[in-house]
Amino acid sequence: MTPLKLVETVPGSFSLLLDAGTTQVDEAVRQLGHEPHGYFWTGIARFLVSTEAASLEGRFSYDPEAGMFCAYGKDRAALEELGALLSAVTRDEDRVRTLVADAQAAGIDLDD
């Protein structure tokens, strides 16, 4: 799940975290006109869930910051699944380019 981390914040509650600016695709994200901050990664996560992992919808919440992506909740398995999806994107420039293009074509603002 690298570079994401899944931590148990209190017994039974989990957070999936990504320090912004630490992925292999940060430069590609910038070339696409975005900043690889927590809000961008939240947009990517929401888009992935809506288009590729609908079974995850509603199973966790998001709490991004400029310096960090965060998804949290009690459903560890759902956060692990999201972590695996995002982890693959953080290492694949072609994949991130495709996701950004598809999100833009769908009218999704990735920088909310």
Side-chain angles (χ1 to χ4, degrees):
M1 194 176 329
T2 303
L4 291 104
K5 297 176 281 195
L6 184 63
V7 296
E8 188 169 18
T9 54
V10 295
S13 293
F14 304 91
S15 290
L16 179 66
L17 306 170
L18 172 66
D19 289 327
T22 63
T23 76
Q24 295 176 21
V25 299
D26 288 346
E27 187 54 36
V29 171
R30 286 184 191 95
Q31 289 172 359
L32 294 167
H34 299 277
E35 283 299 318
H37 49 51
Y39 303 103
F40 170 82
W41 287 109
T42 298
I44 291 292
R46 289 180 190 274
F47 188 69
L48 282 169
V49 168
S50 72
T51 59
E52 298 179 19
S55 65
L56 296 179
E57 192 68 50
R59 293 173 62 188
F60 46 79
S61 299
Y62 300 97
D63 186 20
E65 298 176 7
M68 179 182 67
F69 163 84
C70 177
Y72 66 95
K74 296 187 179 295
D75 191 336
R76 181 184 181 112
L79 291 167
E80 287 175 341
E81 189 174 339
L82 177 63
L85 286 169
L86 283 174
S87 179
V89 174
T90 66
R91 296 187 310 265
D92 186 340
E93 287 187 16
D94 290 336
R95 179 86 164 110
V96 80
R97 288 177 195 282
T98 299
L99 283 171
V100 168
D102 291 348
Q104 289 174 332
I108 306 294
D109 181 359
L110 295 174
D111 294 316
D112 278 353

